[in-house]
Amino acid sequence: NAGVMQNPRHLVRRRGQEARLRCSPMKGHSHVYWYRQLPEEGLKFMVYLQKENIIDESGMPKERFSAEFPKEGPSILRIQQVVRGDSAAYFCASSHGTAATNEKLFFGSGTQLSVL
Amino acid sequence: DAKTTQPNSMESNEEEPVHLPCNHSTISGTDYIHWYRQLPSQGPEYVIHGLTSNVNNRMASLAIAEDRKSSTLILHRATLRDAAVYYCILRMYGGSQGNLIFGKGTKLSVKP
């Protein structure tokens, strides 16, 4: 059973370009979470999605950032018009259920975004 | 989720036990205590979780104080591969939010 798959592993963008980060959850998991980790800092929650629905986006910046988890295919974190401050490691996690069932989260290896 | 307090860093010698403390004085009755760790250049991975009783699994043991205001993650024999940042997280059972809230964690260094 493959784990959480994130791609690309490394992504380089110039300022003003768009970045698309993909996350395929573990088989059978319908809950996806995105986290961002700035250099030398802890993980910050961004958004929590279930299939086709955004459940909690309280950690998402108000502009330029969006996320989706379509019925078919991976979850996508999209960053428009990237700036140098967006440079970070972005981690995706998935779970079978929610805190209501005390499910543990499984994390991917992350996408390292570098903005030139 | 309630707040936890952990030391910023700890050191251990290889093949010796390691006790990683966590204080959570504002824990509520429905909060589970979860531990995750993050190895260098990796995503976090689940280690263990518990509610009131001590817990053991193949990775570690979790000792929970009787008043539940603190807990200790125990690695019985540290290896170089255990060098990581360890996060103690409270997670409310039955809550509507699925996400985990990470603090700064404890950076564990293991010396050969």
Side-chain angles (χ1 to χ4, degrees):
Chain A
N1 187 12
V4 177
M5 303 300 292
Q6 289 189 249
N7 66 80
R9 190 78 170 89
H10 300 275
L11 182 62
V12 179
R13 285 287 178 266
R14 297 191 180 278
R15 282 180 297 171
Q17 291 184 320
E18 179 181 283
R20 279 180 177 248
L21 288 64
R22 294 175 185 77
C23 170
S24 296
M26 285 183 70
K27 186 177 180 181
H29 286 192
S30 59
H31 300 256
V32 166
Y33 315 80
W34 285 93
Y35 288 80
R36 177 165 65 175
Q37 188 170 35
L38 295 168
E40 304 302 320
E41 293 191 14
L43 290 100
K44 301 296 183 187
F45 166 74
M46 299 181 75
V47 62
Y48 162 38
L49 311 101
Q50 282 181 268
K51 281 288 187 181
E52 299 183 276
N53 292 306
I54 296 175
I55 306 302
D56 179 3
E57 56 181 348
S58 59
M60 287 281 269
K62 298 299 180 193
E63 297 177 345
R64 302 187 298 108
F65 285 72
S66 62
E68 62 177 10
F69 188 17
K71 188 176 180 180
E72 302 290 338
S75 175
I76 306 288
L77 179 67
R78 181 183 178 204
I79 311 172
Q80 295 178 290
Q81 298 175 320
V82 297
V83 300
R84 289 214 172 112
D86 297 331
S87 296
Y90 292 82
F91 292 97
C92 167
S94 73
S95 69
H96 185 264
T98 69
T101 56
N102 210 26
E103 292 279 344
K104 54 190 176 186
L105 271 60
F106 295 83
F107 284 80
S109 296
T111 293
Q112 180 64 52
L113 173 65
S114 299
V115 180
L116 304 179
Chain B
D1 292 324
K3 187 178 177 180
T4 63
T5 304
Q6 299 177 253
N8 289 333
S9 62
M10 289 184 65
E11 277 192 353
S12 172
N13 293 317
E14 197 176 12
E15 298 192 4
E16 290 186 355
V18 182
H19 291 234
L20 296 162
C22 180
N23 288 320
H24 29 78
S25 58
T26 59
I27 191 171
S28 73
T30 53
D31 284 334
Y32 276 74
I33 302 158
H34 287 245
W35 284 81
Y36 282 72
R37 72 179 186 180
Q38 186 176 20
L39 280 65
S41 301
Q42 303 260 347
E45 65 173 340
Y46 168 83
V47 178
I48 200 166
H49 78 279
L51 182 63
T52 56
S53 303
N54 294 345
V55 184
N56 300 296
N57 65 22
R58 64 174 181 82
M59 289 181 72
S61 296
L62 177 60
I64 301 172
E66 196 169 335
D67 63 6
R68 301 212 322 126
K69 294 186 176 183
S70 65
S71 60
T72 302
L73 179 70
I74 302 166
L75 306 179
H76 295 285
R77 286 183 67 204
T79 69
L80 298 177
R81 293 179 61 183
D82 290 322
V85 178
Y86 287 78
Y87 298 97
C88 170
I89 303 165
L90 300 185
R91 198 177 191 205
M92 185 174 70
Y93 182 84
S96 59
Q97 300 306 318
N99 58 293
L100 297 171
I101 299 176
F102 288 81
K104 294 188 182 298
T106 296
K107 184 173 184 179
L108 175 66
S109 302
V110 180
K111 296 183 289 185

PDB file of all heavy atoms in Angstrom, chain B residues 64-90:
ATOM      1  N   ILE B  64       1.903   8.351  30.741  1.00  0.00           N
ATOM      2  CA  ILE B  64       1.010   9.482  30.991  1.00  0.00           C
ATOM      3  C   ILE B  64       0.826   9.638  32.492  1.00  0.00           C
ATOM      4  O   ILE B  64       0.487   8.673  33.184  1.00  0.00           O
ATOM      5  CB  ILE B  64      -0.350   9.255  30.307  1.00  0.00           C
ATOM      6  CG1 ILE B  64      -0.143   9.070  28.793  1.00  0.00           C
ATOM      7  CG2 ILE B  64      -1.296  10.423  30.584  1.00  0.00           C
ATOM      8  CD1 ILE B  64      -1.386   8.652  28.038  1.00  0.00           C
ATOM      9  N   ALA B  65       1.041  10.856  32.983  1.00  0.00           N
ATOM     10  CA  ALA B  65       0.882  11.117  34.410  1.00  0.00           C
ATOM     11  C   ALA B  65      -0.557  10.864  34.846  1.00  0.00           C
ATOM     12  O   ALA B  65      -1.488  10.970  34.039  1.00  0.00           O
ATOM     13  CB  ALA B  65       1.273  12.558  34.718  1.00  0.00           C
ATOM     14  N   GLU B  66      -0.715  10.544  36.113  1.00  0.00           N
ATOM     15  CA  GLU B  66      -2.047  10.210  36.618  1.00  0.00           C
ATOM     16  C   GLU B  66      -3.029  11.376  36.442  1.00  0.00           C
ATOM     17  O   GLU B  66      -4.203  11.155  36.127  1.00  0.00           O
ATOM     18  CB  GLU B  66      -1.953   9.825  38.103  1.00  0.00           C
ATOM     19  CG  GLU B  66      -3.175   9.099  38.610  1.00  0.00           C
ATOM     20  CD  GLU B  66      -2.951   8.494  39.990  1.00  0.00           C
ATOM     21  OE1 GLU B  66      -1.793   8.210  40.342  1.00  0.00           O
ATOM     22  OE2 GLU B  66      -3.954   8.320  40.703  1.00  0.00           O
ATOM     23  N   ASP B  67      -2.553  12.614  36.620  1.00  0.00           N
ATOM     24  CA  ASP B  67      -3.439  13.770  36.444  1.00  0.00           C
ATOM     25  C   ASP B  67      -3.498  14.222  34.976  1.00  0.00           C
ATOM     26  O   ASP B  67      -4.182  15.199  34.668  1.00  0.00           O
ATOM     27  CB  ASP B  67      -3.003  14.934  37.335  1.00  0.00           C
ATOM     28  CG  ASP B  67      -1.615  15.453  36.998  1.00  0.00           C
ATOM     29  OD1 ASP B  67      -1.028  14.989  35.996  1.00  0.00           O
ATOM     30  OD2 ASP B  67      -1.109  16.311  37.718  1.00  0.00           O
ATOM     31  N   ARG B  68      -2.780  13.552  34.112  1.00  0.00           N
ATOM     32  CA  ARG B  68      -2.744  13.791  32.662  1.00  0.00           C
ATOM     33  C   ARG B  68      -2.182  15.156  32.298  1.00  0.00           C
ATOM     34  O   ARG B  68      -2.282  15.576  31.147  1.00  0.00           O
ATOM     35  CB  ARG B  68      -4.139  13.638  32.045  1.00  0.00           C
ATOM     36  CG  ARG B  68      -4.761  12.294  32.247  1.00  0.00           C
ATOM     37  CD  ARG B  68      -5.675  11.812  31.142  1.00  0.00           C
ATOM     38  NE  ARG B  68      -6.491  12.849  30.567  1.00  0.00           N
ATOM     39  CZ  ARG B  68      -6.540  13.112  29.264  1.00  0.00           C
ATOM     40  NH1 ARG B  68      -5.797  12.431  28.414  1.00  0.00           N
ATOM     41  NH2 ARG B  68      -7.327  14.061  28.802  1.00  0.00           N
ATOM     42  N   LYS B  69      -1.543  15.848  33.206  1.00  0.00           N
ATOM     43  CA  LYS B  69      -1.004  17.164  32.893  1.00  0.00           C
ATOM     44  C   LYS B  69       0.391  17.080  32.302  1.00  0.00           C
ATOM     45  O   LYS B  69       0.968  18.114  31.926  1.00  0.00           O
ATOM     46  CB  LYS B  69      -1.025  18.047  34.134  1.00  0.00           C
ATOM     47  CG  LYS B  69      -2.435  18.377  34.597  1.00  0.00           C
ATOM     48  CD  LYS B  69      -2.463  19.358  35.737  1.00  0.00           C
ATOM     49  CE  LYS B  69      -3.911  19.706  36.081  1.00  0.00           C
ATOM     50  NZ  LYS B  69      -4.002  20.715  37.158  1.00  0.00           N
ATOM     51  N   SER B  70       0.919  15.906  32.206  1.00  0.00           N
ATOM     52  CA  SER B  70       2.208  15.737  31.553  1.00  0.00           C
ATOM     53  C   SER B  70       2.312  14.316  31.024  1.00  0.00           C
ATOM     54  O   SER B  70       1.571  13.424  31.446  1.00  0.00           O
ATOM     55  CB  SER B  70       3.367  16.011  32.517  1.00  0.00           C
ATOM     56  OG  SER B  70       3.382  15.052  33.551  1.00  0.00           O
ATOM     57  N   SER B  71       3.229  14.134  30.081  1.00  0.00           N
ATOM     58  CA  SER B  71       3.480  12.801  29.547  1.00  0.00           C
ATOM     59  C   SER B  71       4.935  12.722  29.127  1.00  0.00           C
ATOM     60  O   SER B  71       5.622  13.753  28.996  1.00  0.00           O
ATOM     61  CB  SER B  71       2.553  12.492  28.362  1.00  0.00           C
ATOM     62  OG  SER B  71       2.748  13.425  27.314  1.00  0.00           O
ATOM     63  N   THR B  72       5.403  11.505  28.920  1.00  0.00           N
ATOM     64  CA  THR B  72       6.793  11.276  28.535  1.00  0.00           C
ATOM     65  C   THR B  72       6.849  10.237  27.430  1.00  0.00           C
ATOM     66  O   THR B  72       6.274   9.148  27.579  1.00  0.00           O
ATOM     67  CB  THR B  72       7.634  10.784  29.722  1.00  0.00           C
ATOM     68  OG1 THR B  72       7.563  11.746  30.779  1.00  0.00           O
ATOM     69  CG2 THR B  72       9.088  10.593  29.306  1.00  0.00           C
ATOM     70  N   LEU B  73       7.505  10.590  26.354  1.00  0.00           N
ATOM     71  CA  LEU B  73       7.754   9.635  25.284  1.00  0.00           C
ATOM     72  C   LEU B  73       9.071   8.945  25.591  1.00  0.00           C
ATOM     73  O   LEU B  73      10.080   9.609  25.848  1.00  0.00           O
ATOM     74  CB  LEU B  73       7.828  10.327  23.933  1.00  0.00           C
ATOM     75  CG  LEU B  73       8.121   9.410  22.745  1.00  0.00           C
ATOM     76  CD1 LEU B  73       6.912   8.508  22.456  1.00  0.00           C
ATOM     77  CD2 LEU B  73       8.476  10.208  21.505  1.00  0.00           C
ATOM     78  N   ILE B  74       9.078   7.632  25.574  1.00  0.00           N
ATOM     79  CA  ILE B  74      10.273   6.868  25.923  1.00  0.00           C
ATOM     80  C   ILE B  74      10.742   6.076  24.714  1.00  0.00           C
ATOM     81  O   ILE B  74       9.998   5.252  24.168  1.00  0.00           O
ATOM     82  CB  ILE B  74       9.991   5.912  27.090  1.00  0.00           C
ATOM     83  CG1 ILE B  74       9.489   6.707  28.306  1.00  0.00           C
ATOM     84  CG2 ILE B  74      11.243   5.114  27.453  1.00  0.00           C
ATOM     85  CD1 ILE B  74       8.872   5.853  29.384  1.00  0.00           C
ATOM     86  N   LEU B  75      11.972   6.360  24.298  1.00  0.00           N
ATOM     87  CA  LEU B  75      12.638   5.529  23.295  1.00  0.00           C
ATOM     88  C   LEU B  75      13.574   4.621  24.076  1.00  0.00           C
ATOM     89  O   LEU B  75      14.485   5.103  24.760  1.00  0.00           O
ATOM     90  CB  LEU B  75      13.424   6.394  22.306  1.00  0.00           C
ATOM     91  CG  LEU B  75      12.644   7.503  21.609  1.00  0.00           C
ATOM     92  CD1 LEU B  75      13.560   8.293  20.671  1.00  0.00           C
ATOM     93  CD2 LEU B  75      11.456   6.948  20.847  1.00  0.00           C
ATOM     94  N   HIS B  76      13.386   3.340  23.985  1.00  0.00           N
ATOM     95  CA  HIS B  76      14.084   2.427  24.909  1.00  0.00           C
ATOM     96  C   HIS B  76      15.566   2.306  24.606  1.00  0.00           C
ATOM     97  O   HIS B  76      16.371   2.166  25.523  1.00  0.00           O
ATOM     98  CB  HIS B  76      13.389   1.071  24.889  1.00  0.00           C
ATOM     99  CG  HIS B  76      11.993   1.149  25.429  1.00  0.00           C
ATOM    100  ND1 HIS B  76      11.733   1.266  26.765  1.00  0.00           N
ATOM    101  CD2 HIS B  76      10.787   1.164  24.811  1.00  0.00           C
ATOM    102  CE1 HIS B  76      10.426   1.338  26.971  1.00  0.00           C
ATOM    103  NE2 HIS B  76       9.826   1.283  25.793  1.00  0.00           N
ATOM    104  N   ARG B  77      15.920   2.339  23.331  1.00  0.00           N
ATOM    105  CA  ARG B  77      17.324   2.303  22.937  1.00  0.00           C
ATOM    106  C   ARG B  77      17.503   3.214  21.734  1.00  0.00           C
ATOM    107  O   ARG B  77      17.143   2.853  20.617  1.00  0.00           O
ATOM    108  CB  ARG B  77      17.773   0.888  22.585  1.00  0.00           C
ATOM    109  CG  ARG B  77      17.971  -0.029  23.767  1.00  0.00           C
ATOM    110  CD  ARG B  77      18.478  -1.390  23.322  1.00  0.00           C
ATOM    111  NE  ARG B  77      19.827  -1.280  22.767  1.00  0.00           N
ATOM    112  CZ  ARG B  77      20.354  -2.143  21.912  1.00  0.00           C
ATOM    113  NH1 ARG B  77      19.642  -3.150  21.477  1.00  0.00           N
ATOM    114  NH2 ARG B  77      21.584  -1.987  21.473  1.00  0.00           N
ATOM    115  N   ALA B  78      18.022   4.393  21.975  1.00  0.00           N
ATOM    116  CA  ALA B  78      18.140   5.363  20.891  1.00  0.00           C
ATOM    117  C   ALA B  78      19.143   4.888  19.845  1.00  0.00           C
ATOM    118  O   ALA B  78      20.201   4.346  20.174  1.00  0.00           O
ATOM    119  CB  ALA B  78      18.579   6.707  21.448  1.00  0.00           C
ATOM    120  N   THR B  79      18.800   5.096  18.593  1.00  0.00           N
ATOM    121  CA  THR B  79      19.722   4.844  17.496  1.00  0.00           C
ATOM    122  C   THR B  79      19.945   6.163  16.756  1.00  0.00           C
ATOM    123  O   THR B  79      19.214   7.139  16.969  1.00  0.00           O
ATOM    124  CB  THR B  79      19.170   3.805  16.508  1.00  0.00           C
ATOM    125  OG1 THR B  79      18.052   4.395  15.817  1.00  0.00           O
ATOM    126  CG2 THR B  79      18.702   2.550  17.236  1.00  0.00           C
ATOM    127  N   LEU B  80      20.963   6.174  15.898  1.00  0.00           N
ATOM    128  CA  LEU B  80      21.239   7.396  15.149  1.00  0.00           C
ATOM    129  C   LEU B  80      20.036   7.797  14.294  1.00  0.00           C
ATOM    130  O   LEU B  80      19.806   8.982  14.036  1.00  0.00           O
ATOM    131  CB  LEU B  80      22.479   7.205  14.274  1.00  0.00           C
ATOM    132  CG  LEU B  80      23.781   6.925  15.036  1.00  0.00           C
ATOM    133  CD1 LEU B  80      24.934   6.684  14.062  1.00  0.00           C
ATOM    134  CD2 LEU B  80      24.121   8.063  15.986  1.00  0.00           C
ATOM    135  N   ARG B  81      19.250   6.812  13.885  1.00  0.00           N
ATOM    136  CA  ARG B  81      18.079   7.088  13.051  1.00  0.00           C
ATOM    137  C   ARG B  81      16.938   7.731  13.838  1.00  0.00           C
ATOM    138  O   ARG B  81      15.945   8.152  13.240  1.00  0.00           O
ATOM    139  CB  ARG B  81      17.599   5.801  12.396  1.00  0.00           C
ATOM    140  CG  ARG B  81      18.590   5.248  11.372  1.00  0.00           C
ATOM    141  CD  ARG B  81      18.082   3.955  10.771  1.00  0.00           C
ATOM    142  NE  ARG B  81      16.812   4.143  10.082  1.00  0.00           N
ATOM    143  CZ  ARG B  81      16.129   3.156   9.516  1.00  0.00           C
ATOM    144  NH1 ARG B  81      16.577   1.920   9.574  1.00  0.00           N
ATOM    145  NH2 ARG B  81      14.997   3.400   8.902  1.00  0.00           N
ATOM    146  N   ASP B  82      17.068   7.769  15.147  1.00  0.00           N
ATOM    147  CA  ASP B  82      16.031   8.420  15.961  1.00  0.00           C
ATOM    148  C   ASP B  82      16.250   9.922  16.091  1.00  0.00           C
ATOM    149  O   ASP B  82      15.431  10.613  16.704  1.00  0.00           O
ATOM    150  CB  ASP B  82      15.991   7.798  17.355  1.00  0.00           C
ATOM    151  CG  ASP B  82      15.449   6.372  17.345  1.00  0.00           C
ATOM    152  OD1 ASP B  82      14.504   6.106  16.577  1.00  0.00           O
ATOM    153  OD2 ASP B  82      15.988   5.538  18.116  1.00  0.00           O
ATOM    154  N   ALA B  83      17.347  10.419  15.548  1.00  0.00           N
ATOM    155  CA  ALA B  83      17.596  11.866  15.580  1.00  0.00           C
ATOM    156  C   ALA B  83      16.534  12.560  14.740  1.00  0.00           C
ATOM    157  O   ALA B  83      16.419  12.336  13.531  1.00  0.00           O
ATOM    158  CB  ALA B  83      18.981  12.174  15.047  1.00  0.00           C
ATOM    159  N   ALA B  84      15.723  13.404  15.412  1.00  0.00           N
ATOM    160  CA  ALA B  84      14.574  14.007  14.746  1.00  0.00           C
ATOM    161  C   ALA B  84      13.996  15.079  15.663  1.00  0.00           C
ATOM    162  O   ALA B  84      14.426  15.235  16.812  1.00  0.00           O
ATOM    163  CB  ALA B  84      13.504  12.950  14.458  1.00  0.00           C
ATOM    164  N   VAL B  85      12.999  15.796  15.162  1.00  0.00           N
ATOM    165  CA  VAL B  85      12.219  16.698  16.004  1.00  0.00           C
ATOM    166  C   VAL B  85      10.963  15.949  16.427  1.00  0.00           C
ATOM    167  O   VAL B  85      10.249  15.406  15.585  1.00  0.00           O
ATOM    168  CB  VAL B  85      11.837  17.997  15.273  1.00  0.00           C
ATOM    169  CG1 VAL B  85      10.991  18.888  16.179  1.00  0.00           C
ATOM    170  CG2 VAL B  85      13.085  18.733  14.815  1.00  0.00           C
ATOM    171  N   TYR B  86      10.726  15.894  17.735  1.00  0.00           N
ATOM    172  CA  TYR B  86       9.591  15.158  18.282  1.00  0.00           C
ATOM    173  C   TYR B  86       8.511  16.143  18.738  1.00  0.00           C
ATOM    174  O   TYR B  86       8.789  17.060  19.508  1.00  0.00           O
ATOM    175  CB  TYR B  86      10.040  14.282  19.455  1.00  0.00           C
ATOM    176  CG  TYR B  86      10.831  13.084  18.993  1.00  0.00           C
ATOM    177  CD1 TYR B  86      12.168  13.218  18.621  1.00  0.00           C
ATOM    178  CD2 TYR B  86      10.241  11.824  18.895  1.00  0.00           C
ATOM    179  CE1 TYR B  86      12.895  12.125  18.164  1.00  0.00           C
ATOM    180  CE2 TYR B  86      10.957  10.726  18.436  1.00  0.00           C
ATOM    181  CZ  TYR B  86      12.276  10.891  18.074  1.00  0.00           C
ATOM    182  OH  TYR B  86      12.987   9.805  17.613  1.00  0.00           O
ATOM    183  N   TYR B  87       7.303  15.933  18.264  1.00  0.00           N
ATOM    184  CA  TYR B  87       6.197  16.827  18.554  1.00  0.00           C
ATOM    185  C   TYR B  87       5.165  16.125  19.438  1.00  0.00           C
ATOM    186  O   TYR B  87       4.707  15.025  19.120  1.00  0.00           O
ATOM    187  CB  TYR B  87       5.493  17.261  17.276  1.00  0.00           C
ATOM    188  CG  TYR B  87       6.342  18.032  16.299  1.00  0.00           C
ATOM    189  CD1 TYR B  87       6.964  17.401  15.226  1.00  0.00           C
ATOM    190  CD2 TYR B  87       6.520  19.409  16.440  1.00  0.00           C
ATOM    191  CE1 TYR B  87       7.736  18.110  14.317  1.00  0.00           C
ATOM    192  CE2 TYR B  87       7.285  20.132  15.531  1.00  0.00           C
ATOM    193  CZ  TYR B  87       7.891  19.472  14.481  1.00  0.00           C
ATOM    194  OH  TYR B  87       8.652  20.181  13.582  1.00  0.00           O
ATOM    195  N   CYS B  88       4.795  16.792  20.504  1.00  0.00           N
ATOM    196  CA  CYS B  88       3.731  16.340  21.393  1.00  0.00           C
ATOM    197  C   CYS B  88       2.492  17.183  21.083  1.00  0.00           C
ATOM    198  O   CYS B  88       2.567  18.417  21.122  1.00  0.00           O
ATOM    199  CB  CYS B  88       4.175  16.531  22.849  1.00  0.00           C
ATOM    200  SG  CYS B  88       2.907  16.310  24.093  1.00  0.00           S
ATOM    201  N   ILE B  89       1.391  16.551  20.754  1.00  0.00           N
ATOM    202  CA  ILE B  89       0.207  17.267  20.260  1.00  0.00           C
ATOM    203  C   ILE B  89      -1.028  16.744  20.968  1.00  0.00           C
ATOM    204  O   ILE B  89      -1.206  15.531  21.104  1.00  0.00           O
ATOM    205  CB  ILE B  89       0.045  17.055  18.739  1.00  0.00           C
ATOM    206  CG1 ILE B  89       1.302  17.513  17.977  1.00  0.00           C
ATOM    207  CG2 ILE B  89      -1.188  17.782  18.214  1.00  0.00           C
ATOM    208  CD1 ILE B  89       1.364  17.016  16.549  1.00  0.00           C
ATOM    209  N   LEU B  90      -1.886  17.674  21.400  1.00  0.00           N
ATOM    210  CA  LEU B  90      -3.165  17.270  21.967  1.00  0.00           C
ATOM    211  C   LEU B  90      -4.230  17.325  20.881  1.00  0.00           C
ATOM    212  O   LEU B  90      -4.290  18.276  20.102  1.00  0.00           O
ATOM    213  CB  LEU B  90      -3.566  18.186  23.127  1.00  0.00           C
ATOM    214  CG  LEU B  90      -2.611  18.227  24.304  1.00  0.00           C
ATOM    215  CD1 LEU B  90      -3.198  19.084  25.427  1.00  0.00           C
ATOM    216  CD2 LEU B  90      -2.323  16.829  24.830  1.00  0.00           C
TER     217      LEU B  90
END
